[in-house]
Amino acid sequence: YIKGLQTDLRAGSVGGRIIEKSTSHYRKLAGVAKDLEGLVEKEAKRLTSAKRNKSIAMKTARGSLEMRRLKAVGHPFAANQFFPNEVADVLNDMLRDKAMPVFTKLSDVNALSRFMVTGFDFGAGLIQGVPLLMSNPVKWGKAWGLSFQTFLKPEVRGRYLQQPENLKVLQELIPEGLIIGNSEFMQAVSSGILASNPVRAIDRLNILQRFSSSFNAFGDIARVEWAKALLPMVKREGKSLRELSAFLNEATGVMSTKALGVSATQRSIEGSVLLFAPRYFRANIAFWADMTRGGLRGNLARDALTSMIMGTFFWYYGVSKALGQEPNLDPTSGKFLTIQIGEDHIGLGSMQVAMLRLFGNTYKTLTENPMGMVKLDSRDNPLLRFYRGRVAPLTGSAWDILT
């Protein structure tokens, strides 16, 4: 109607009557037409807005109905994700699993044993730090130096991690899985038997905490320094920060079995009965297994292990010759990669050397006595011998008694 009125006005005729454009009647009709046009446009906008709100409301209602069928899972791997109710219930039940008290107590005993064996020295750099030592000696030296300083002044570790360039690395990689904090080797000091009030009352000089902080400082600083060396390449080539974090964890002997979804019961059994240091063991096995992977994680593992093996052999050969000793490069020998000091033989004690021994012993058994691989005697079976050297203390004692 409005468009028709406007057309008639432009033609100078309304309802068959001729109206002069100069008359007041024409101006009034033109004003009415303009007002009606504005009113229609306003109502059209309101209608469009109402349709849009209706569409949003319908989607929200459908989403709310769908969300009733979904549920969150309380675990880092499921951050910002929802699962069907029945799946989420099973996962949450598993993750809320609590270990049996007997295994918890045995795990605490094993944690005490770990600390007593590894805690009272500065050997982290020559055990957990061997891959970094042979890949980047400068970064290794910085980590070990700050580790020793942390023993003297525990606040050194915190100050290092709070430096802007280091804090930036942590902000980038911790969400991707980088582990910073307490090692399982120091568990007894942070939350185990040695964390009890009577022990703390006796340890007036905080000697236990100093050793613990020093040990943890090496691992934390080693991972951050190694990350700073690799991040430019990773970002330049658009590689995965999650794979980088996994590599750094495994190469320095740490792993979160909780983040992997391992239940509390299984973790306590592993830590009390099956293994001396289950997370360290898992991390190193994963480190070697990564050699078979593609992508960034596989490339980094191959580079690090190649550097470690070649660097270890050249270092050992040079030291042996300098001391006038014949190098022992036979991985089936108990004196493999050791030098003689007085009546003792000493050498690098990392899991990486143990893996070389395992490969050598396995090859020897397969070529000389293949049936030894299926025997239950650790003297014949290299796999059992390898495992026996890493079993939890109580289980190891029972094994010794029974065999």
Side-chain angles (χ1 to χ4, degrees):
Y1 170 79
I2 295 172
K3 289 182 179 179
L5 177 61
Q6 290 174 330
T7 301
D8 289 344
L9 286 171
R10 284 194 293 272
S13 173
V14 176
R17 296 173 57 189
I18 297 175
I19 301 176
E20 294 293 335
K21 295 183 179 181
S22 61
T23 64
S24 61
H25 185 55
Y26 178 88
R27 288 193 294 271
K28 287 180 180 180
L29 286 174
V32 169
K34 186 175 181 180
D35 291 341
L36 287 173
E37 183 180 17
L39 181 62
V40 170
E41 289 181 357
K42 181 179 179 181
E43 293 302 318
K45 290 180 180 178
R46 290 180 61 188
L47 178 61
T48 301
S49 177
K51 289 181 177 179
R52 183 170 61 251
N53 291 337
K54 178 183 177 181
S55 176
I56 294 173
M58 291 295 292
K59 290 181 180 179
T60 301
R62 286 194 296 269
S64 299
L65 182 62
E66 183 65 26
M67 285 300 294
R68 293 173 190 167
R69 304 191 187 102
L70 301 176
K71 187 180 293 186
V73 172
H75 193 275
F77 86 87
N80 302 320
Q81 299 183 54
F82 293 89
F83 298 83
N85 283 339
E86 55 274 18
V87 175
D89 289 339
V90 172
L91 290 173
N92 282 322
D93 286 343
M94 180 187 73
L95 294 170
R96 282 194 295 264
D97 172 45
K98 293 184 178 180
M100 293 176 61
V102 61
F103 290 120
T104 301
K105 296 298 183 184
L106 289 175
S107 183
D108 287 342
V109 172
N110 192 24
L112 176 62
S113 176
R114 278 197 301 268
F115 179 79
M116 299 305 291
V117 171
T118 62
F120 292 105
D121 60 37
F122 302 99
L126 296 176
I127 301 177
Q128 285 84 354
V130 170
L132 178 59
L133 169 62
M134 298 304 172
S135 298
N136 196 323
V138 174
K139 298 293 187 182
W140 176 88
K142 182 175 181 179
W144 205 8
L146 288 174
S147 170
F148 183 74
Q149 290 180 39
T150 300
F151 176 80
L152 301 175
K153 296 181 178 180
E155 63 272 17
V156 168
R157 176 190 177 203
R159 285 205 302 263
Y160 170 85
L161 296 176
Q162 291 172 11
Q163 291 175 7
E165 61 176 355
N166 301 329
L167 196 58
K168 182 179 179 181
V169 171
L170 298 180
Q171 290 170 341
E172 287 186 286
L173 296 185
I174 287 180
E176 301 297 334
L178 184 72
I179 296 175
I180 294 294
N182 189 46
S183 165
E184 66 182 321
F185 289 95
M186 301 296 113
Q187 179 182 337
V189 177
S190 64
S191 60
I193 296 173
L194 298 180
S196 62
N197 289 330
V199 173
R200 289 181 176 178
I202 297 172
D203 185 18
R204 298 284 185 179
L205 297 177
N206 290 326
I207 298 299
L208 297 177
Q209 189 60 54
R210 287 175 184 272
F211 275 112
S212 176
S213 296
S214 175
F215 189 100
N216 288 325
F218 176 82
D220 291 347
I221 296 169
R223 284 185 284 279
V224 172
E225 288 297 316
W226 210 346
K228 290 194 296 188
L230 294 174
L231 270 171
M233 176 273 293
V234 172
K235 292 181 177 180
R236 184 174 61 252
E237 298 182 6
K239 301 297 185 179
S240 167
L241 294 181
R242 185 166 292 274
E243 288 197 17
L244 173 62
S245 298
F247 162 76
L248 294 171
N249 290 338
E250 294 167 2
T252 53
V254 296
M255 176 178 284
S256 173
T257 49
K258 184 177 182 180
L260 293 176
V262 179
S263 68
T265 296
Q266 182 175 337
R267 295 199 304 271
S268 65
I269 292 175
E270 288 181 357
S272 61
V273 178
L274 299 181
L275 291 163
F276 176 70
R279 283 176 278 168
Y280 177 68
F281 181 85
R282 280 177 180 267
N284 280 279
I285 294 300
F287 185 33
W288 281 84
D290 281 349
M291 290 188 70
T292 64
R293 296 172 64 109
L296 175 68
R297 194 164 162 184
N299 290 336
L300 291 176
R302 284 187 289 274
D303 289 345
L305 285 170
T306 300
S307 296
M308 186 210 70
I309 293 170
M310 298 305 296
T312 298
F313 277 121
F314 284 125
W315 168 83
Y316 171 67
Y317 188 87
V319 171
S320 296
K321 289 299 183 180
L323 295 175
Q325 300 181 18
E326 191 63 28
N328 187 328
L329 301 176
D330 178 8
T332 65
S333 168
K335 299 176 182 178
F336 175 57
L337 294 182
T338 65
I339 57 175
Q340 186 172 356
I341 305 294
E343 296 182 357
D344 299 319
H345 285 79
I346 63 172
L348 297 176
S350 73
M351 181 73 163
Q352 320 312 332
V353 175
M355 292 295 292
L356 295 177
R357 292 179 186 271
L358 172 63
F359 295 146
N361 287 326
T362 300
Y363 176 78
K364 181 178 180 180
T365 301
L366 287 172
T367 55
E368 297 180 4
N369 180 28
M371 291 305 296
M373 296 297 298
V374 297
K375 291 185 178 181
L376 298 180
D377 190 334
S378 59
R379 290 169 293 186
D380 297 314
N381 189 326
L383 297 178
L384 276 181
R385 185 158 63 251
F386 175 77
Y387 171 66
R388 187 170 183 174
R390 277 138 203 92
V391 75
L394 293 176
T395 304
S397 298
W399 195 331
D400 291 339
I401 294 172
L402 292 174
T403 58

